[in-house]
Amino acid sequence: EFRRVLFRSDTETTARTITLTNPALEPWTANSYGAALEYYFSERSAGVVSARVYRRDIRNFWGTTLTPATDALLEPWGLDPAVYGEKLGYVVSTTRNVGSARVSGAEFDYRQNLTFLPGWARGFTAFANLTLQHLEGNQLASFTGFVGKTTNWGLSFSRARFTARLAVNLKGLVKQGQVTNAGTEPGTFTYLMPRKSADLSLEYRLTRQLSVFASGRNVNEATDDTVVYGPSTARDRMLSSRADYRAYWNVGLKGTF
């Protein structure tokens, strides 16, 4: 990303933080390994169960660091220490190579057409997915969007005229961006709290060309809760916010010509 290596400076006087790019930033590299296993049921169309494990060893990964705004740091950028110096409480925020990291994980998938059900109940398909990830390395590494555990499961139903699908998503703690304001403890990040949401879709075919449908997202009205904390932040002092998006429904007619 060129914005991380070009010379640029930005001052935020209210936070007393100077954000500088790093022309010496090196690209990070990674070696990836993985293995997968699949098992098909007696009839190939009936379903499959699969498992995959993987590991990624990363070198020279990026992270944001805060250091006092010393004269030596400010001089190459032409910033006056009398205005932006350490004695006035300014710190420098920049992206650096913070060391090595390792991401290891496993994925498990299941999908099956429930053909063993009685004739009146035929048409059901069950599906599920579980993803587990583990992160090791420097706490300053910028793994924005990292999720340790994600689960998806659901059920679909399809007959001659009617189809329905329910999908449930359970997302674990999501690591967001690092907080680099002056006075903030190193290793302080913003996180999205675990969230469970469900989507539902229904469709009834009136004719071969015309059908009515209804689809809903987040039908259980799950909220997005955000917290900010560092390594030594007490739980009762975590900053938080909540976004409530409610359910979103689409209802209409669909034609094929």
Side-chain angles (χ1 to χ4, degrees):
E1 299 183 24
F2 289 108
R3 66 182 180 86
R4 294 186 181 273
V5 296
L6 294 177
F7 288 93
R8 180 171 61 93
S9 67
D10 180 32
T11 60
E12 302 175 11
T13 55
T14 57
R16 294 193 179 275
T17 301
I18 304 171
T19 302
L20 301 177
T21 53
N22 181 6
L25 187 68
E26 298 180 1
W28 61 267
T29 59
N31 293 322
S32 299
Y33 313 90
L37 180 66
E38 294 183 344
Y39 172 78
Y40 292 90
F41 295 103
S42 56
E43 295 182 16
R44 194 176 183 87
S45 61
V48 61
V49 175
S50 65
R52 184 173 77 93
V53 294
Y54 56 89
R55 192 180 86 179
R56 173 175 288 185
D57 295 327
I58 306 171
R59 298 179 59 189
N60 284 333
F61 204 71
W62 298 338
T64 301
T65 59
L66 291 174
T67 54
T70 62
D71 293 359
L73 281 176
L74 297 179
E75 182 180 1
W77 303 93
L79 296 176
D80 186 356
V83 179
Y84 303 109
E86 177 182 3
K87 293 181 179 180
L88 297 175
Y90 279 91
V91 294
V92 172
S93 171
T94 190
T95 301
R96 303 179 185 275
N97 298 104
V98 296
S100 300
R102 172 177 292 174
V103 178
S104 54
E107 293 182 1
F108 304 93
D109 287 286
Y110 160 78
R111 180 177 295 274
Q112 184 178 11
N113 298 322
L114 306 183
T115 55
F116 55 83
L117 294 176
W120 59 267
R122 294 290 175 89
F124 281 101
T125 298
F127 58 90
N129 170 272
L130 172 64
T131 301
L132 302 171
Q133 295 191 110
H134 179 64
L135 175 63
E136 302 173 74
N138 195 309
Q139 291 296 314
L140 297 179
S142 299
F143 281 92
T144 302
F146 181 84
V147 186
K149 181 179 180 180
T150 304
T151 305
N152 296 284
W153 64 269
L155 194 67
S156 65
F157 177 75
S158 180
R159 297 296 286 265
R161 288 180 175 269
F162 179 74
T163 59
R165 187 176 189 272
L166 172 67
V168 179
N169 172 262
L170 296 88
K171 183 181 292 185
L173 189 71
V174 182
K175 185 178 183 181
Q176 300 289 88
Q178 184 177 3
V179 181
T180 59
N181 294 337
T184 302
E185 179 185 17
T188 298
F189 285 84
T190 301
Y191 298 87
L192 287 177
M193 296 297 287
R195 181 177 186 266
K196 178 180 180 180
S197 63
D199 298 338
L200 177 67
S201 62
L202 306 167
E203 182 174 337
Y204 183 78
R205 287 174 288 279
L206 302 171
T207 67
R208 290 186 176 181
Q209 290 79 31
L210 186 65
S211 62
V212 293
F213 72 90
S215 63
R217 295 178 58 85
N218 191 33
V219 296
N220 60 324
E221 298 189 347
T223 59
D224 282 338
D225 294 335
T226 303
V227 298
V228 180
Y229 62 87
S232 60
T233 306
R235 286 195 171 273
D236 61 350
R237 292 186 174 273
M238 292 181 182
L239 299 177
S240 63
S241 63
R242 169 169 290 183
D244 191 348
Y245 300 110
R246 301 292 181 177
Y248 179 77
W249 288 93
N250 282 315
V251 180
L253 288 170
K254 183 168 65 175
T256 303
F257 304 98

